[in-house]
Amino acid sequence: MPKLDIRLRTVAALINPHDDSSVVHGDIGSDHGGLLVSLLRSKRIAKGIAVENKTQPYDNSCCALKGLCAEVRFGDGLAVIQPGELSSLSICGMGAESIVKILDAFPDRVPDHVVLQPNRQHELVRDWGLRNGFHLNEEQIAWGHWPYAVISLQRADVSEFDASTPKDPAYADVDFEAALLFGPLILKRWEPKFAARLYEEQAYLQGLTQLRGDYEHRLHQIQKVLAVHAAR
Ligand SMILES: C[S@@+](CC[C@H](N)C(=O)[O-])C[C@H]1O[C@@H](n2cnc3c(N)ncnc32)[C@H](O)[C@@H]1O
């Protein structure tokens, strides 16, 4: 059994939360295959489908998943997945732009539950959820080498969804721009470690002699959030 790091353990814990015994889970960019091996060995999923678009990671996945109820497919993201084939999907360890590109390429092949772990710019992933009628049902920070955001999205009831005014109850009672950046559930949970990290980042950004546009935006959001909490 591969020992998953805290980042992938956090992802694994959010897959099949209702212990459904028939879940077929797809992992795009599976590389070492560790996530699916762990999910299969712990019987958290019934079948795994690993997708890789590079030879060495594809070979790694084939080797790791040999003998387990899994398929390894060579191809570009959801291009090698059939509509309705998956119960859930994970895409981890990539930039958010790549994750969103994969999801946007075949929207009809995205299952109702997705767990995403972008390395940077998580706001793009949250924005994808809002634009595509998904609700944030859980998000956590995995405190590994970096603080990694792990975002779990569930397709909302179609009747509730209106693309012109996306509403996800997770964003209620929280500053929208800050929530997009840091995560509405993470902000509401306000764990001491997260608050400490924001104070640290505020000090770092304030110490820079020049602030690029996105840093300036980030500092502004941090200051807003810290001011709200200081006033409580
Ligand atoms: C940094 S690794 C992350 C591996 C693993 N998911 C993890 O989180 O530890 C990213 C993997 O995604 C694969 N990848 C990137 N874009 C892909 C795409 N469009 N389709 C399939 N695989 C992709 C890469 O080949 C690479 O093995």
Side-chain angles (χ1 to χ4, degrees), residues 5 7-8 27-33 35 51-55 57-58 73 75-78 91-94 98 102 117 119:
D5 59 15
R7 176 180 63 88
L8 288 179
D27 186 39
I28 293 186
S30 50
D31 192 4
H32 44 77
L35 178 64
V51 179
E52 255 303 333
N53 68 351
K54 290 179 198 72
T55 313
Y58 171 80
R73 300 184 187 169
D76 182 2
L78 291 162
I91 314 179
C92 308
M94 297 182 203
S98 304
I102 290 169
Q117 182 270 300
N119 285 346

PDB file of all heavy atoms in Angstrom, residues 5 7-8 27-33 35 51-55 57-58 73 75-78 91-94 98 102 117 119, ligand 1:
ATOM      1  N   ASP A   5       0.981  11.139   0.945  1.00  0.00           N
ATOM      2  CA  ASP A   5       1.328  12.308   1.750  1.00  0.00           C
ATOM      3  C   ASP A   5       0.022  12.986   2.207  1.00  0.00           C
ATOM      4  O   ASP A   5      -1.070  12.621   1.767  1.00  0.00           O
ATOM      5  CB  ASP A   5       2.255  13.263   0.973  1.00  0.00           C
ATOM      6  CG  ASP A   5       1.631  13.778  -0.323  1.00  0.00           C
ATOM      7  OD1 ASP A   5       0.400  13.639  -0.506  1.00  0.00           O
ATOM      8  OD2 ASP A   5       2.371  14.320  -1.158  1.00  0.00           O
ATOM      9  N   ARG A   7      -1.307  15.714   1.511  1.00  0.00           N
ATOM     10  CA  ARG A   7      -2.073  16.318   0.410  1.00  0.00           C
ATOM     11  C   ARG A   7      -3.021  15.282  -0.213  1.00  0.00           C
ATOM     12  O   ARG A   7      -4.231  15.514  -0.324  1.00  0.00           O
ATOM     13  CB  ARG A   7      -1.067  16.845  -0.632  1.00  0.00           C
ATOM     14  CG  ARG A   7      -1.649  17.425  -1.880  1.00  0.00           C
ATOM     15  CD  ARG A   7      -0.511  17.894  -2.790  1.00  0.00           C
ATOM     16  NE  ARG A   7       0.336  16.795  -3.230  1.00  0.00           N
ATOM     17  CZ  ARG A   7       0.120  16.042  -4.320  1.00  0.00           C
ATOM     18  NH1 ARG A   7      -0.912  16.291  -5.081  1.00  0.00           N
ATOM     19  NH2 ARG A   7       0.932  15.054  -4.641  1.00  0.00           N
ATOM     20  N   LEU A   8      -2.477  14.126  -0.583  1.00  0.00           N
ATOM     21  CA  LEU A   8      -3.331  13.116  -1.232  1.00  0.00           C
ATOM     22  C   LEU A   8      -4.206  12.371  -0.217  1.00  0.00           C
ATOM     23  O   LEU A   8      -5.280  11.891  -0.575  1.00  0.00           O
ATOM     24  CB  LEU A   8      -2.474  12.152  -2.062  1.00  0.00           C
ATOM     25  CG  LEU A   8      -1.917  12.790  -3.350  1.00  0.00           C
ATOM     26  CD1 LEU A   8      -1.054  11.794  -4.120  1.00  0.00           C
ATOM     27  CD2 LEU A   8      -3.027  13.316  -4.268  1.00  0.00           C
ATOM     28  N   ASP A  27      -9.068   9.295 -12.032  1.00  0.00           N
ATOM     29  CA  ASP A  27      -8.008  10.203 -11.560  1.00  0.00           C
ATOM     30  C   ASP A  27      -7.203  10.653 -12.777  1.00  0.00           C
ATOM     31  O   ASP A  27      -6.517   9.833 -13.397  1.00  0.00           O
ATOM     32  CB  ASP A  27      -7.122   9.495 -10.537  1.00  0.00           C
ATOM     33  CG  ASP A  27      -6.106  10.441  -9.903  1.00  0.00           C
ATOM     34  OD1 ASP A  27      -6.467  11.610  -9.631  1.00  0.00           O
ATOM     35  OD2 ASP A  27      -4.945  10.019  -9.689  1.00  0.00           O
ATOM     36  N   ILE A  28      -7.322  11.922 -13.108  1.00  0.00           N
ATOM     37  CA  ILE A  28      -6.619  12.428 -14.295  1.00  0.00           C
ATOM     38  C   ILE A  28      -5.261  12.981 -13.883  1.00  0.00           C
ATOM     39  O   ILE A  28      -5.167  13.768 -12.933  1.00  0.00           O
ATOM     40  CB  ILE A  28      -7.482  13.487 -15.006  1.00  0.00           C
ATOM     41  CG1 ILE A  28      -8.708  12.755 -15.550  1.00  0.00           C
ATOM     42  CG2 ILE A  28      -6.700  14.189 -16.116  1.00  0.00           C
ATOM     43  CD1 ILE A  28      -9.621  13.543 -16.394  1.00  0.00           C
ATOM     44  N   GLY A  29      -4.239  12.547 -14.576  1.00  0.00           N
ATOM     45  CA  GLY A  29      -2.877  12.913 -14.188  1.00  0.00           C
ATOM     46  C   GLY A  29      -2.444  12.046 -13.022  1.00  0.00           C
ATOM     47  O   GLY A  29      -1.911  12.520 -12.026  1.00  0.00           O
ATOM     48  N   SER A  30      -2.672  10.739 -13.175  1.00  0.00           N
ATOM     49  CA  SER A  30      -2.497   9.795 -12.043  1.00  0.00           C
ATOM     50  C   SER A  30      -1.029   9.574 -11.675  1.00  0.00           C
ATOM     51  O   SER A  30      -0.714   9.226 -10.550  1.00  0.00           O
ATOM     52  CB  SER A  30      -3.133   8.450 -12.401  1.00  0.00           C
ATOM     53  OG  SER A  30      -2.663   8.024 -13.683  1.00  0.00           O
ATOM     54  N   ASP A  31      -0.120   9.723 -12.644  1.00  0.00           N
ATOM     55  CA  ASP A  31       1.326   9.578 -12.449  1.00  0.00           C
ATOM     56  C   ASP A  31       1.684   8.300 -11.685  1.00  0.00           C
ATOM     57  O   ASP A  31       1.509   7.208 -12.193  1.00  0.00           O
ATOM     58  CB  ASP A  31       1.876  10.839 -11.756  1.00  0.00           C
ATOM     59  CG  ASP A  31       3.399  10.890 -11.795  1.00  0.00           C
ATOM     60  OD1 ASP A  31       4.003  10.002 -12.416  1.00  0.00           O
ATOM     61  OD2 ASP A  31       3.988  11.808 -11.196  1.00  0.00           O
ATOM     62  N   HIS A  32       2.124   8.426 -10.426  1.00  0.00           N
ATOM     63  CA  HIS A  32       2.548   7.277  -9.601  1.00  0.00           C
ATOM     64  C   HIS A  32       1.398   6.325  -9.273  1.00  0.00           C
ATOM     65  O   HIS A  32       1.609   5.223  -8.781  1.00  0.00           O
ATOM     66  CB  HIS A  32       3.182   7.793  -8.297  1.00  0.00           C
ATOM     67  CG  HIS A  32       2.381   8.922  -7.703  1.00  0.00           C
ATOM     68  ND1 HIS A  32       1.216   8.699  -7.023  1.00  0.00           N
ATOM     69  CD2 HIS A  32       2.551  10.270  -7.744  1.00  0.00           C
ATOM     70  CE1 HIS A  32       0.696   9.864  -6.644  1.00  0.00           C
ATOM     71  NE2 HIS A  32       1.494  10.843  -7.078  1.00  0.00           N
ATOM     72  N   GLY A  33       0.163   6.761  -9.503  1.00  0.00           N
ATOM     73  CA  GLY A  33      -1.008   5.889  -9.286  1.00  0.00           C
ATOM     74  C   GLY A  33      -1.379   5.711  -7.823  1.00  0.00           C
ATOM     75  O   GLY A  33      -2.332   4.997  -7.506  1.00  0.00           O
ATOM     76  N   LEU A  35      -2.870   7.428  -5.500  1.00  0.00           N
ATOM     77  CA  LEU A  35      -4.204   7.771  -4.997  1.00  0.00           C
ATOM     78  C   LEU A  35      -5.185   6.627  -5.268  1.00  0.00           C
ATOM     79  O   LEU A  35      -5.893   6.167  -4.361  1.00  0.00           O
ATOM     80  CB  LEU A  35      -4.696   9.080  -5.641  1.00  0.00           C
ATOM     81  CG  LEU A  35      -6.102   9.505  -5.224  1.00  0.00           C
ATOM     82  CD1 LEU A  35      -6.167   9.832  -3.737  1.00  0.00           C
ATOM     83  CD2 LEU A  35      -6.581  10.699  -6.037  1.00  0.00           C
ATOM     84  N   VAL A  51      -5.847   8.200 -15.813  1.00  0.00           N
ATOM     85  CA  VAL A  51      -5.588   8.792 -17.129  1.00  0.00           C
ATOM     86  C   VAL A  51      -4.260   9.525 -17.086  1.00  0.00           C
ATOM     87  O   VAL A  51      -4.001  10.307 -16.151  1.00  0.00           O
ATOM     88  CB  VAL A  51      -6.720   9.778 -17.536  1.00  0.00           C
ATOM     89  CG1 VAL A  51      -6.414  10.412 -18.899  1.00  0.00           C
ATOM     90  CG2 VAL A  51      -8.073   9.073 -17.589  1.00  0.00           C
ATOM     91  N   GLU A  52      -3.436   9.243 -18.067  1.00  0.00           N
ATOM     92  CA  GLU A  52      -2.136   9.930 -18.182  1.00  0.00           C
ATOM     93  C   GLU A  52      -1.874  10.298 -19.629  1.00  0.00           C
ATOM     94  O   GLU A  52      -2.265   9.576 -20.537  1.00  0.00           O
ATOM     95  CB  GLU A  52      -1.000   9.020 -17.672  1.00  0.00           C
ATOM     96  CG  GLU A  52      -0.461   9.410 -16.328  1.00  0.00           C
ATOM     97  CD  GLU A  52       0.064  10.844 -16.212  1.00  0.00           C
ATOM     98  OE1 GLU A  52       0.490  11.404 -17.220  1.00  0.00           O
ATOM     99  OE2 GLU A  52       0.058  11.400 -15.109  1.00  0.00           O
ATOM    100  N   ASN A  53      -1.209  11.430 -19.838  1.00  0.00           N
ATOM    101  CA  ASN A  53      -0.887  11.820 -21.214  1.00  0.00           C
ATOM    102  C   ASN A  53       0.620  11.815 -21.486  1.00  0.00           C
ATOM    103  O   ASN A  53       1.056  12.329 -22.505  1.00  0.00           O
ATOM    104  CB  ASN A  53      -1.492  13.199 -21.548  1.00  0.00           C
ATOM    105  CG  ASN A  53      -0.849  14.335 -20.773  1.00  0.00           C
ATOM    106  OD1 ASN A  53      -0.063  14.102 -19.861  1.00  0.00           O
ATOM    107  ND2 ASN A  53      -1.177  15.563 -21.131  1.00  0.00           N
ATOM    108  N   LYS A  54       1.390  11.253 -20.523  1.00  0.00           N
ATOM    109  CA  LYS A  54       2.837  11.142 -20.763  1.00  0.00           C
ATOM    110  C   LYS A  54       3.282   9.709 -20.476  1.00  0.00           C
ATOM    111  O   LYS A  54       2.742   9.046 -19.584  1.00  0.00           O
ATOM    112  CB  LYS A  54       3.607  12.129 -19.891  1.00  0.00           C
ATOM    113  CG  LYS A  54       3.383  13.552 -20.356  1.00  0.00           C
ATOM    114  CD  LYS A  54       4.088  14.580 -19.519  1.00  0.00           C
ATOM    115  CE  LYS A  54       3.482  15.960 -19.756  1.00  0.00           C
ATOM    116  NZ  LYS A  54       2.134  16.095 -19.149  1.00  0.00           N
ATOM    117  N   THR A  55       4.295   9.263 -21.252  1.00  0.00           N
ATOM    118  CA  THR A  55       4.662   7.849 -21.232  1.00  0.00           C
ATOM    119  C   THR A  55       5.141   7.359 -19.868  1.00  0.00           C
ATOM    120  O   THR A  55       4.651   6.344 -19.372  1.00  0.00           O
ATOM    121  CB  THR A  55       5.754   7.593 -22.292  1.00  0.00           C
ATOM    122  OG1 THR A  55       5.336   8.216 -23.481  1.00  0.00           O
ATOM    123  CG2 THR A  55       5.958   6.123 -22.532  1.00  0.00           C
ATOM    124  N   PRO A  57       4.828   8.593 -16.701  1.00  0.00           N
ATOM    125  CA  PRO A  57       3.760   8.512 -15.692  1.00  0.00           C
ATOM    126  C   PRO A  57       2.716   7.437 -16.029  1.00  0.00           C
ATOM    127  O   PRO A  57       2.184   6.777 -15.130  1.00  0.00           O
ATOM    128  CB  PRO A  57       3.128   9.907 -15.719  1.00  0.00           C
ATOM    129  CG  PRO A  57       4.165  10.802 -16.306  1.00  0.00           C
ATOM    130  CD  PRO A  57       4.976   9.962 -17.238  1.00  0.00           C
ATOM    131  N   TYR A  58       2.436   7.242 -17.328  1.00  0.00           N
ATOM    132  CA  TYR A  58       1.485   6.186 -17.737  1.00  0.00           C
ATOM    133  C   TYR A  58       2.031   4.823 -17.299  1.00  0.00           C
ATOM    134  O   TYR A  58       1.319   4.019 -16.692  1.00  0.00           O
ATOM    135  CB  TYR A  58       1.283   6.238 -19.254  1.00  0.00           C
ATOM    136  CG  TYR A  58       0.509   5.068 -19.810  1.00  0.00           C
ATOM    137  CD1 TYR A  58      -0.889   5.028 -19.735  1.00  0.00           C
ATOM    138  CD2 TYR A  58       1.171   3.986 -20.393  1.00  0.00           C
ATOM    139  CE1 TYR A  58      -1.598   3.937 -20.237  1.00  0.00           C
ATOM    140  CE2 TYR A  58       0.474   2.899 -20.892  1.00  0.00           C
ATOM    141  CZ  TYR A  58      -0.909   2.871 -20.803  1.00  0.00           C
ATOM    142  OH  TYR A  58      -1.606   1.795 -21.289  1.00  0.00           O
ATOM    143  N   ARG A  73      -5.544   4.537 -18.811  1.00  0.00           N
ATOM    144  CA  ARG A  73      -5.759   4.964 -20.205  1.00  0.00           C
ATOM    145  C   ARG A  73      -4.769   6.072 -20.564  1.00  0.00           C
ATOM    146  O   ARG A  73      -4.518   6.977 -19.758  1.00  0.00           O
ATOM    147  CB  ARG A  73      -7.189   5.468 -20.389  1.00  0.00           C
ATOM    148  CG  ARG A  73      -8.203   4.378 -20.072  1.00  0.00           C
ATOM    149  CD  ARG A  73      -9.608   4.832 -20.348  1.00  0.00           C
ATOM    150  NE  ARG A  73     -10.551   3.809 -19.860  1.00  0.00           N
ATOM    151  CZ  ARG A  73     -11.845   3.993 -19.753  1.00  0.00           C
ATOM    152  NH1 ARG A  73     -12.378   5.153 -20.114  1.00  0.00           N
ATOM    153  NH2 ARG A  73     -12.624   3.028 -19.292  1.00  0.00           N
ATOM    154  N   GLY A  75      -4.075   9.273 -22.656  1.00  0.00           N
ATOM    155  CA  GLY A  75      -4.811  10.288 -23.421  1.00  0.00           C
ATOM    156  C   GLY A  75      -4.867  11.605 -22.680  1.00  0.00           C
ATOM    157  O   GLY A  75      -4.348  11.753 -21.568  1.00  0.00           O
ATOM    158  N   ASP A  76      -5.538  12.553 -23.320  1.00  0.00           N
ATOM    159  CA  ASP A  76      -5.627  13.917 -22.800  1.00  0.00           C
ATOM    160  C   ASP A  76      -6.895  14.081 -21.957  1.00  0.00           C
ATOM    161  O   ASP A  76      -7.998  14.210 -22.499  1.00  0.00           O
ATOM    162  CB  ASP A  76      -5.631  14.880 -24.000  1.00  0.00           C
ATOM    163  CG  ASP A  76      -5.664  16.335 -23.556  1.00  0.00           C
ATOM    164  OD1 ASP A  76      -5.640  16.595 -22.342  1.00  0.00           O
ATOM    165  OD2 ASP A  76      -5.731  17.207 -24.439  1.00  0.00           O
ATOM    166  N   GLY A  77      -6.735  14.062 -20.664  1.00  0.00           N
ATOM    167  CA  GLY A  77      -7.845  14.335 -19.737  1.00  0.00           C
ATOM    168  C   GLY A  77      -9.078  13.509 -19.996  1.00  0.00           C
ATOM    169  O   GLY A  77      -9.025  12.276 -20.122  1.00  0.00           O
ATOM    170  N   LEU A  78     -10.213  14.194 -20.119  1.00  0.00           N
ATOM    171  CA  LEU A  78     -11.507  13.513 -20.260  1.00  0.00           C
ATOM    172  C   LEU A  78     -11.760  12.982 -21.663  1.00  0.00           C
ATOM    173  O   LEU A  78     -12.785  12.346 -21.907  1.00  0.00           O
ATOM    174  CB  LEU A  78     -12.631  14.485 -19.862  1.00  0.00           C
ATOM    175  CG  LEU A  78     -12.665  14.835 -18.366  1.00  0.00           C
ATOM    176  CD1 LEU A  78     -13.492  16.094 -18.124  1.00  0.00           C
ATOM    177  CD2 LEU A  78     -13.217  13.673 -17.552  1.00  0.00           C
ATOM    178  N   ILE A  91      -8.547  15.538  -9.891  1.00  0.00           N
ATOM    179  CA  ILE A  91      -7.424  16.079 -10.661  1.00  0.00           C
ATOM    180  C   ILE A  91      -6.557  16.816  -9.636  1.00  0.00           C
ATOM    181  O   ILE A  91      -7.011  17.779  -9.007  1.00  0.00           O
ATOM    182  CB  ILE A  91      -7.855  17.054 -11.786  1.00  0.00           C
ATOM    183  CG1 ILE A  91      -9.034  16.494 -12.596  1.00  0.00           C
ATOM    184  CG2 ILE A  91      -6.674  17.361 -12.697  1.00  0.00           C
ATOM    185  CD1 ILE A  91      -9.531  17.428 -13.720  1.00  0.00           C
ATOM    186  N   CYS A  92      -5.349  16.324  -9.443  1.00  0.00           N
ATOM    187  CA  CYS A  92      -4.523  16.833  -8.347  1.00  0.00           C
ATOM    188  C   CYS A  92      -3.108  17.162  -8.817  1.00  0.00           C
ATOM    189  O   CYS A  92      -2.600  16.550  -9.762  1.00  0.00           O
ATOM    190  CB  CYS A  92      -4.388  15.774  -7.249  1.00  0.00           C
ATOM    191  SG  CYS A  92      -5.955  15.113  -6.710  1.00  0.00           S
ATOM    192  N   GLY A  93      -2.506  18.096  -8.114  1.00  0.00           N
ATOM    193  CA  GLY A  93      -1.083  18.372  -8.324  1.00  0.00           C
ATOM    194  C   GLY A  93      -0.765  19.130  -9.595  1.00  0.00           C
ATOM    195  O   GLY A  93       0.355  19.080 -10.083  1.00  0.00           O
ATOM    196  N   MET A  94      -1.747  19.839 -10.133  1.00  0.00           N
ATOM    197  CA  MET A  94      -1.508  20.665 -11.341  1.00  0.00           C
ATOM    198  C   MET A  94      -1.915  22.102 -11.022  1.00  0.00           C
ATOM    199  O   MET A  94      -2.624  22.360 -10.048  1.00  0.00           O
ATOM    200  CB  MET A  94      -2.416  20.235 -12.501  1.00  0.00           C
ATOM    201  CG  MET A  94      -2.219  18.858 -12.992  1.00  0.00           C
ATOM    202  SD  MET A  94      -3.351  18.609 -14.404  1.00  0.00           S
ATOM    203  CE  MET A  94      -3.462  16.840 -14.358  1.00  0.00           C
ATOM    204  N   SER A  98      -4.616  24.444 -15.770  1.00  0.00           N
ATOM    205  CA  SER A  98      -4.647  23.132 -16.442  1.00  0.00           C
ATOM    206  C   SER A  98      -5.886  22.350 -16.023  1.00  0.00           C
ATOM    207  O   SER A  98      -6.532  21.692 -16.851  1.00  0.00           O
ATOM    208  CB  SER A  98      -3.408  22.315 -16.087  1.00  0.00           C
ATOM    209  OG  SER A  98      -2.260  23.032 -16.399  1.00  0.00           O
ATOM    210  N   ILE A 102      -8.916  21.059 -18.556  1.00  0.00           N
ATOM    211  CA  ILE A 102      -9.345  19.651 -18.668  1.00  0.00           C
ATOM    212  C   ILE A 102     -10.867  19.544 -18.478  1.00  0.00           C
ATOM    213  O   ILE A 102     -11.563  18.880 -19.241  1.00  0.00           O
ATOM    214  CB  ILE A 102      -8.582  18.774 -17.647  1.00  0.00           C
ATOM    215  CG1 ILE A 102      -7.109  18.653 -18.067  1.00  0.00           C
ATOM    216  CG2 ILE A 102      -9.229  17.406 -17.491  1.00  0.00           C
ATOM    217  CD1 ILE A 102      -6.190  18.037 -17.025  1.00  0.00           C
ATOM    218  N   GLN A 117      -7.390  19.458  -6.565  1.00  0.00           N
ATOM    219  CA  GLN A 117      -6.310  19.997  -5.728  1.00  0.00           C
ATOM    220  C   GLN A 117      -5.349  20.774  -6.624  1.00  0.00           C
ATOM    221  O   GLN A 117      -4.379  20.230  -7.128  1.00  0.00           O
ATOM    222  CB  GLN A 117      -5.602  18.847  -4.984  1.00  0.00           C
ATOM    223  CG  GLN A 117      -4.491  19.293  -4.036  1.00  0.00           C
ATOM    224  CD  GLN A 117      -3.140  19.336  -4.768  1.00  0.00           C
ATOM    225  OE1 GLN A 117      -2.684  18.321  -5.274  1.00  0.00           O
ATOM    226  NE2 GLN A 117      -2.498  20.504  -4.807  1.00  0.00           N
ATOM    227  N   ASN A 119      -2.443  23.394  -7.523  1.00  0.00           N
ATOM    228  CA  ASN A 119      -1.236  23.857  -6.816  1.00  0.00           C
ATOM    229  C   ASN A 119      -1.216  25.367  -6.651  1.00  0.00           C
ATOM    230  O   ASN A 119      -0.585  25.871  -5.733  1.00  0.00           O
ATOM    231  CB  ASN A 119       0.016  23.426  -7.584  1.00  0.00           C
ATOM    232  CG  ASN A 119       0.285  21.941  -7.401  1.00  0.00           C
ATOM    233  OD1 ASN A 119      -0.295  21.311  -6.516  1.00  0.00           O
ATOM    234  ND2 ASN A 119       1.142  21.379  -8.229  1.00  0.00           N
TER     235      ASN A 119
HETATM  236  C1  LIG B   1       2.509  16.838 -10.984  1.00  0.00           C
HETATM  237  S1  LIG B   1       1.804  15.359 -11.501  1.00  0.00           S
HETATM  238  C2  LIG B   1       0.647  15.042 -10.212  1.00  0.00           C
HETATM  239  C3  LIG B   1       0.491  13.577  -9.977  1.00  0.00           C
HETATM  240  C4  LIG B   1      -0.586  13.193  -8.980  1.00  0.00           C
HETATM  241  N1  LIG B   1      -1.909  13.536  -9.483  1.00  0.00           N
HETATM  242  C5  LIG B   1      -0.342  13.855  -7.658  1.00  0.00           C
HETATM  243  O1  LIG B   1      -1.090  14.776  -7.313  1.00  0.00           O
HETATM  244  O2  LIG B   1       0.603  13.474  -6.950  1.00  0.00           O
HETATM  245  C6  LIG B   1       0.735  15.841 -12.835  1.00  0.00           C
HETATM  246  C7  LIG B   1       0.480  14.675 -13.775  1.00  0.00           C
HETATM  247  O3  LIG B   1      -0.589  15.030 -14.633  1.00  0.00           O
HETATM  248  C8  LIG B   1      -0.316  14.558 -15.934  1.00  0.00           C
HETATM  249  N2  LIG B   1      -1.130  15.374 -16.845  1.00  0.00           N
HETATM  250  C9  LIG B   1      -1.038  16.708 -17.058  1.00  0.00           C
HETATM  251  N3  LIG B   1      -1.972  17.129 -17.930  1.00  0.00           N
HETATM  252  C10 LIG B   1      -2.685  16.016 -18.286  1.00  0.00           C
HETATM  253  C11 LIG B   1      -3.780  15.793 -19.174  1.00  0.00           C
HETATM  254  N4  LIG B   1      -4.325  16.791 -19.873  1.00  0.00           N
HETATM  255  N5  LIG B   1      -4.248  14.534 -19.301  1.00  0.00           N
HETATM  256  C12 LIG B   1      -3.705  13.523 -18.598  1.00  0.00           C
HETATM  257  N6  LIG B   1      -2.656  13.677 -17.748  1.00  0.00           N
HETATM  258  C13 LIG B   1      -2.154  14.901 -17.587  1.00  0.00           C
HETATM  259  C14 LIG B   1       1.192  14.715 -16.066  1.00  0.00           C
HETATM  260  O4  LIG B   1       1.717  13.856 -17.038  1.00  0.00           O
HETATM  261  C15 LIG B   1       1.677  14.374 -14.660  1.00  0.00           C
HETATM  262  O5  LIG B   1       2.001  13.007 -14.526  1.00  0.00           O
END
